[in-house]
């Protein structure tokens, strides 16, 4: 297909703020019973009756959290929703609504925002959440996206970070590290493109890694899976900043120690082979990479038989007395103190 070198560019200023909002939100449907009033008034109105409400918000900034050199706007819209819904899932709650706020510079035409909101709309439909409001404004620093996610749960269902006990097992969903290696592949190809703009990368052998980076999924299924197994986690967190950082968060807030076992880490074969290609230690990447959006949680040791052999979960360690500290137990059975080397948006 021949690329249109002169695509249509409609200035956002032609629509004005309210015209822009009306244009971008016309495809959002209301599907949740708890949404009494959505977009179109000074505030949304929600009714959760006897349910507890959980709320989380995230800010995504161009040049800090994403690079438009290889992040398509549609994927960015989808991912910006997913990373927020993951926080709701990490509370063992069900996502129900989101608000979307966007600050955009004048280098973005209306068509670019349409593409971004196409991804947001797709994610909202995929996860069955209502878009109930937000804001738009101008930016001198490129594109900024802020999304607030809302969810519901019975009081007895909600899981916090501070409930882990000394004898609990540490469990993770899916596999880890792939999103970080997907980012490394994309960064490498960006550098190649900057040297030779005519180069066409062959990314088929990295398809899983790139998808984990550009189009992650929140683990909305885990709540249902655990309920079916009659397991309620004692503590839970999502893996956004790296496994090591998240384990330390759980340990500090629960006042326990932890032993994480290197040989128990769930790693995808494509991830392992790409680490070898890049000459990077797979364990280092797996525990520090971040952006996996899998769930990390602890369960009572008596629930082990319910979860063992389940392909959705991997038992990767156990909690211990706080005085024992937080360690990685290597394949050689050596204990190494675990440090938070994951993503830190405020690091210099």
């Amino acid at each position: 297909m021949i690329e249109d070198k002169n695509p249509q560019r409609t200035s956002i200023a032609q629509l004005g703020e309210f015209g822009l909002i009306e244009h971008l939100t016309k495809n959002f449907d209301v599907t949740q019973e708890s949404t009494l009033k959505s977009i179109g008034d000074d505030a949304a109105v929600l009714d959760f009756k006897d349910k507890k409400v959980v709320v989380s918000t995230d800010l995504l900034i161009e040049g800090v959290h994403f690079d438009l050199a290889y992040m398509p706007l549609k994927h960015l819209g989808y991912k910006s929703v997913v990373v927020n819904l993951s926080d709701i899932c990490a509370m063992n709650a069900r996502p129900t609504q989101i608000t979307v706020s966007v600050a955009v510079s004048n280098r973005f035409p209306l068509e670019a925002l349409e593409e971004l909101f196409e991804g947001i709309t797709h994610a909202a439909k995929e996860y069955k959440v209502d878009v109930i409001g937000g804001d738009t404004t101008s930016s001198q620093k490129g594109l900024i996206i802020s999304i607030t996610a809302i969810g519901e749960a019975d009081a007895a269902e909600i899981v916090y970070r501070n409930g882990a006990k000394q004898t609990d097992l540490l469990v993770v969903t899916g596999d880890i590290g792939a999103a970080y290696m997907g980012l490394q592949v994309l960064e490498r190809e960006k550098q190649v493109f900057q040297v030779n703009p005519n180069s066409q990368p062959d990314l088929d052998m990295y398809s899983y890694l790139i998808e984990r980076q550009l189009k992650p999924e929140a683990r909305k299924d885990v709540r249902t899976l655990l309920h079916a197994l009659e397991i309620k986690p004692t503590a839970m967190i999502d893996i956004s900043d790296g496994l090591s950082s998240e384990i330390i968060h759980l340990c500090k807030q629960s006042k326990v120690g932890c032993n994480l076992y290197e040989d128990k880490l769930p790693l995808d074969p494509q991830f392992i082979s790409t680490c070898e290609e890049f000459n990077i230690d797979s364990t280092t990447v797996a525990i520090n990479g971040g952006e996996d959006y899998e769930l990390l949680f602890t369960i009572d040791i008596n629930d082990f038989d319910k979860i063992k052999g389940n392909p959705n979960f991997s038992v990767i360690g156990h909690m211990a007395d706080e005085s024992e500290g937080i360690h990685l137990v290597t394949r050689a059975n050596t204990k190494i103190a675990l440090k938070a080397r994951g993503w830190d948006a405020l690091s210099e």
Side-chain angles (χ1 to χ4, degrees):
M1 190 172 88
I2 299 175
E3 181 183 358
D4 184 358
K5 298 297 184 181
N6 296 292
Q8 181 181 356
R9 291 176 60 90
T10 305
S11 170
I12 294 173
Q14 290 181 226
L15 284 80
E17 181 180 1
F18 294 110
L20 177 63
I21 293 171
E22 183 178 352
H23 181 85
L24 294 175
T25 61
K26 62 186 178 184
N27 294 321
F28 292 139
D29 300 321
V30 173
T31 62
Q32 298 291 332
E33 290 184 7
S34 53
T35 305
L36 299 187
K37 178 63 179 178
S38 179
I39 297 168
D41 216 308
D42 291 307
V45 181
L46 309 178
D47 179 10
F48 288 90
K49 297 182 172 65
D50 57 347
K51 297 281 187 180
K52 299 300 180 183
V53 180
V54 294
V55 181
S56 180
T57 191
D58 262 330
L59 196 62
L60 299 175
I61 299 175
E62 183 180 355
V64 177
H65 300 98
F66 58 88
D67 187 337
L68 292 178
Y70 48 72
M71 170 66 83
L73 284 166
K74 183 177 179 180
H75 285 73
L76 176 61
Y78 190 93
K79 182 175 181 177
S80 65
V81 174
V82 165
V83 301
N84 282 273
L85 299 186
S86 182
D87 286 331
I88 303 300
C89 295
M91 300 296 293
N92 203 36
R94 184 175 70 87
T96 51
Q97 288 93 5
I98 60 172
T99 66
V100 179
S101 296
V102 176
V104 60
S105 69
N106 59 10
R107 86 171 197 269
F108 291 91
L110 174 63
E111 289 73 23
L113 283 185
E114 287 176 335
E115 189 177 341
L116 177 73
F117 271 73
E118 186 179 348
I120 293 171
T121 305
H122 181 54
K125 290 180 178 178
E126 182 71 22
Y127 287 88
K128 296 180 173 60
V129 296
D130 293 342
V131 183
I132 59 169
D135 193 16
T136 59
T137 189
S138 60
S139 164
Q140 295 181 339
K141 300 294 183 182
L143 179 61
I144 301 172
I145 306 168
S146 177
I147 291 186
T148 297
I150 301 165
E152 65 173 30
D154 292 331
E157 294 177 313
I158 297 176
V159 178
Y160 301 94
R161 296 180 180 181
N162 62 0
K165 306 185 299 296
Q166 292 180 15
T167 58
D168 285 352
L169 300 176
L170 185 65
V171 184
V172 70
T173 63
D175 60 82
I176 55 176
Y180 179 85
M181 287 312 298
L183 179 62
Q184 300 313 299
V185 170
L186 291 168
E187 285 286 352
R188 181 183 68 182
E189 296 306 321
K190 175 186 174 182
Q191 292 175 12
V192 171
F193 178 80
Q194 288 173 338
V195 174
N196 180 14
N198 294 318
S199 67
Q200 292 295 321
D202 182 5
L203 301 177
D204 287 347
M205 64 185 295
Y206 310 109
S207 57
Y208 178 68
L209 307 182
I210 291 172
E211 182 175 6
R212 292 282 280 179
Q213 170 58 220
L214 297 184
K215 190 177 177 289
E217 300 292 352
R219 294 305 302 263
K220 65 175 182 178
D221 59 323
V222 169
R223 182 172 183 261
T224 303
L225 290 169
L226 292 175
H227 182 75
L229 294 171
E230 297 183 342
I231 295 174
K232 181 188 175 183
T234 52
M236 184 151 54
I237 191 171
D238 78 326
I239 304 175
S240 56
D241 298 330
L243 180 66
S244 58
S245 297
E246 315 303 4
I247 289 175
I248 291 171
H249 284 315
L250 286 185
C251 288
K252 285 186 175 179
Q253 296 203 23
S254 296
K255 294 181 170 55
V256 294
C258 179
N259 288 311
L260 169 69
Y261 291 88
E262 182 181 22
D263 62 350
K264 301 296 184 183
L265 295 173
L267 309 178
D268 184 83
Q270 192 175 103
F271 164 78
I272 295 173
S273 63
T274 306
C275 284
E276 292 173 351
E277 179 189 343
F278 277 70
N279 196 26
I280 300 175
D281 180 66
S282 60
T283 298
T284 301
V285 174
I287 66 175
N288 297 311
E291 287 202 294
D292 293 306
Y293 300 105
E294 296 292 345
L295 295 180
L296 176 73
F297 59 93
T298 53
I299 62 171
D300 190 287
I301 194 169
N302 293 318
D303 286 331
F304 174 68
D305 286 339
K306 299 178 183 177
I307 209 168
K308 69 177 182 181
N310 191 304
N312 296 286
F313 307 113
S314 298
V315 178
I316 59 173
H318 63 82
M319 313 316 279
D321 187 271
E322 187 175 17
S323 62
E324 288 191 33
I326 307 169
H327 293 93
L328 172 70
V329 181
T330 69
R331 293 183 180 89
N333 205 32
T334 302
K335 278 191 172 184
I336 301 173
L338 203 61
K339 296 182 179 180
R341 292 196 175 98
W343 164 254
D344 182 357
L346 300 180
S347 63
E348 295 182 357

